[in-house]
Amino acid sequence: MKHTAVRTRRAVLRATTHPHTGPDTAPGGPGRGRRSARAWAHANGAVLRLRARVQEGLEEAARRPDRGDISTTTVIIWVAAVTGAVLIAGTIAVVIGKYNGKLNGL
C-alpha cells in the first residue's frame, strides 16, 4: 500500500489530538469550529514540513559524513577574542565612569 500525504496528515492529526477525542467526534481535532480546523491543518502542515526537513538533513549527513565541522583551535581563538573585547570594553567603561567629572573640561 502506497504511503500518501493524506494518510500522513491523518496520522499526524490522530497523534496530536486530545486523548479523549475519538473517531466519532467532529473532524479537525478537539476544536469544532472552522478556525480550529484551519489551525489544525496549518499545525499538521508545519509538522510535516519539519519532519521532511529533518529527514533531508539526516540523509545529507549520511551521504556526507565530513560536514566541515569547526576545529577546536578555531573555537578557542574565537572565545579568546570575544573575551578580550569584552574586557577592553569593560575597562573603558570603568575608567570613563570613574573620571567622568574630570573629563568634562576636555
Side-chain angles (χ1 to χ4, degrees):
M1 183 188 260
K2 191 172 180 181
H3 190 70
T4 62
V6 174
R7 287 182 52 210
T8 304
R9 274 191 224 109
R10 248 184 286 153
V12 170
L13 183 62
R14 281 194 201 113
T16 57
T17 57
H18 194 271
H20 297 295
T21 58
D24 55 338
T25 60
R32 289 168 175 76
R34 193 177 311 175
R35 272 192 228 147
S36 297
R38 268 188 275 153
W40 278 98
H42 287 294
N44 285 330
V47 168
L48 290 174
R49 284 190 301 273
L50 180 63
R51 183 179 181 275
R53 177 80 171 149
V54 169
Q55 186 67 30
E56 288 172 7
L58 291 175
E59 289 171 2
E60 179 71 19
R63 195 169 44 246
R64 295 184 329 149
D66 57 336
R67 296 185 307 266
D69 292 334
I70 300 174
S71 68
T72 306
T73 308
T74 306
V75 172
I76 291 171
I77 291 170
W78 273 103
V79 168
V82 170
T83 303
V86 169
L87 286 174
I88 291 170
T91 303
I92 291 171
V94 167
V95 169
I96 288 176
K98 185 175 182 180
Y99 296 107
N100 195 18
K102 298 177 183 176
L103 293 174
N104 285 338
L106 294 179

